[in-house]
Amino acid sequence: MNICITDCGCGFSQEALDHAKERFYMADQSRSSKLHYGMGLYIVDSIIKQHKGKLLLDNSTETKGAKVTIKLPL
């Protein structure tokens, strides 16, 4: 089963594509408030791996925004 979420924003930078699933990674320094810890994609990736799945990050060729794909075995 594949679940794909795409937005119309500015997409992931190459650095974010390389590091976004790392614990505490924050590409956007303006989000360094006490309400953002850089844990979201790290936690999602960990949960998906526990279910033998994959979390794929990319940029949409259609919208140019971020594209997040969750692949889980049935």
Side-chain angles (χ1 to χ4, degrees), residues 1 3 7-8 10 13-14 17 25 28 35 41 43-45 50-51 54 61 64-65 67-70 72 74:
M1 168 176 43
I3 301 167
D7 71 16
C8 297
C10 60
S13 67
Q14 186 58 51
L17 288 171
Y25 177 76
D28 185 352
L35 301 175
L41 289 173
I43 292 169
V44 170
D45 187 49
Q50 290 175 26
H51 293 279
K54 291 184 180 181
T61 56
K64 308 299 184 221
K67 179 179 174 184
V68 177
T69 304
I70 298 169
L72 293 170
L74 291 177

Side-chain angles (χ1 to χ4, degrees), residues 5-65:
I5 300 105
T6 305
D7 71 16
C8 297
C10 60
F12 290 111
S13 67
Q14 186 58 51
E15 180 183 357
L17 288 171
D18 295 338
H19 301 285
K21 295 186 274 184
E22 295 173 6
R23 190 180 338 189
F24 305 122
Y25 177 76
M26 290 186 283
D28 185 352
Q29 296 306 316
S30 67
R31 296 183 73 191
S32 61
S33 74
K34 295 185 187 258
L35 301 175
H36 179 71
Y37 298 100
M39 294 292 292
L41 289 173
Y42 170 77
I43 292 169
V44 170
D45 187 49
S46 297
I47 293 168
I48 291 170
K49 283 179 181 175
Q50 290 175 26
H51 293 279
K52 311 262 188 288
K54 291 184 180 181
L55 176 65
L56 305 173
L57 305 177
D58 202 357
N59 290 314
S60 170
T61 56
E62 296 169 3
T63 68
K64 308 299 184 221

